Amino acid sequence: MNPPDARAGPADDRALRAFDRSLPMALLRAREAVMSRFRPILAEHGVTEQQWRVLRALSSAADPLSVGDLSEQTFLLGPSLSRMLASLEERSLIERGSAADDARRAVIRIAPAGRDLVATIGPESEATYRHIADALGDDALDSLYDLLERTAATA
Amino acid sequence: MNPPDARAGPADDRALRAFDRSLPMALLRAREAVMSRFRPILAEHGVTEQQWRVLRALSSAADPLSVGDLSEQTFLLGPSLSRMLASLEERSLIERGSAADDARRAVIRIAPAGRDLVATIGPESEATYRHIADALGDDALDSLYDLLERTAATA
DNA sequence: TATTGTTATACTCTATAACTATA
DNA sequence: TATAGTTATAGAGTATAACAATA
C-alpha cells in the first residue's frame, strides 16, 4: 500500500501534504479569507480589486506616480493599467499629466473624487481588518507581516 | 502639516503605512514573489495557474472530487471550472464520470497524463520552494504556514 | 537605440443569471 | 422544490507583440 518511494498516488501522504503545504495555496487561502469580506465593500462602490490597488497606491504616495511605478506597486501590467487609468480618469477618480522633464513619462495622481472614495471605503474596511486583527492578536499579526515581507524579499 | 485628525493626504504617514501594512497587499506581494518563479514553469508546460490548482487538488485527493469540491478547494467558480474541466478532459489530463448514487454529481479524477504532468512539474518547482525555505529558515516557514492557516480560519 | 506608454489581439477568469437533469 | 452542474453573456485582467513619441 503505497511504499514510501512509490510515485505519489491519490492517497499518498506526501501528495496530500504537498497540496496542503503549498505556499502559493496557503497564501491564496489566507488572501481569499480576507478578500471575501472586503470584495463586497468594493463592489458596492463600483471598483474592482485591481482598481482599488491603484487608488490605494496613489492615495498613499507622497508624490505622483508614473505608470511604471504603479505597475510595480500594484502588480498590474502596462496594458491593463493603460485601460484602467483611462477608465478611472473618465470617472474623475484620477488625474493625468506629463512629467516636466520627460514628456514620455506620465504623472498620475489621485483626484478629489478618488480621495473621497478612499476615505469612504477606508472606515468600512476597518471593521474587516479589526476582525482579523482581533482573531490573530497583535503579536501574531506583526509576525505575519514580518514573515510575508521576508517572503516577498526572496523574489 | 497634516494634524493627526486630518483627512489622509498624499504625504500622510497613516496613509503611507496603510498601503504598506495592508494585509491583502502583503499577502499579494508574498504570493507574487513565489509565483513569479513558478509561473514560467507552468507556462512551459501549457497550464495556467488555475488549471494547476485543479490538477494539484485532484492529484492530492484520496478520492475523486465533485465539481463543488473542486470549486471550494481551488477558489474557482462553477462556470470557470466547467469550461476548464472540458478543456482538461480534452487534453486527457483528467477523467469525468457520474456518481453511482447521484447522477447529478460529477466524479472527477486525475488521468495518467495529468499525473505525469504533476510528477514532471513537481521536481522543477521544488528548487523554487527550496530557495524560499532556505531564505526563511524552517522555523520561520512553519510559523508562516501556521499564521496563514489561522488567517484563513477567520473567514 | 533605448525607454515610456498605448494600442491590438487573443485568451482566460470573474460574475451573475438562466437553464437542464436529477433528486 | 432544491441541488449539481452546464451554458450564456458581459466584463475585466493577463500576456505578448507592435507601435508612437520621446530621450
Side-chain angles (χ1 to χ4, degrees), chain A residues 138-153:
Chain A
D138 286 344
D139 288 353
L141 196 58
D142 285 344
S143 298
L144 179 56
Y145 277 119
D146 176 55
L147 289 165
L148 290 174
E149 200 176 305
R150 286 168 58 192
T151 303

Side-chain angles (χ1 to χ4, degrees), chain A residues 7 10 15-16 18-19 21 23-25 29 31 37 53 56 60-61 75 115-116 136 142 145 150 154, chain B residues 7 10 15-16 18-19 21 23-25 29 31 37 53 56 60-62 115-116 136 142 145 150 154:
Chain A
R7 189 171 68 177
L16 274 168
F19 192 53
R21 270 230 137 192
L23 193 49
M25 277 309 299
R29 272 194 294 267
R31 187 159 200 278
R37 295 169 165 278
R53 295 213 296 267
R56 281 294 304 276
S60 300
F75 298 100
R115 200 173 290 291
D116 287 348
L136 291 181
D142 285 344
Y145 277 119
R150 286 168 58 192
T154 65
Chain B
R7 190 170 65 175
L16 275 168
F19 192 54
R21 270 230 137 193
L23 192 50
M25 278 308 300
R29 272 193 295 267
R31 188 159 200 279
R37 296 169 164 279
R53 295 212 296 266
R56 281 294 305 275
S60 300
R115 200 173 290 290
D116 287 348
L136 290 181
D142 285 345
Y145 277 119
R150 286 168 59 192
T154 64

Side-chain angles (χ1 to χ4, degrees), chain A residues 25-40:
Chain A
M25 277 309 299
L27 289 163
L28 182 62
R29 272 194 294 267
R31 187 159 200 278
E32 280 301 314
V34 179
M35 291 309 296
S36 66
R37 295 169 165 278
F38 191 47
R39 258 191 285 260

Side-chain angles (χ1 to χ4, degrees), chain A residues 60, chain B residues 2-4 6-17:
Chain A
S60 300
Chain B
N2 282 334
R7 190 170 65 175
D12 188 291
D13 274 353
R14 284 179 311 154
L16 275 168
R17 191 190 55 206

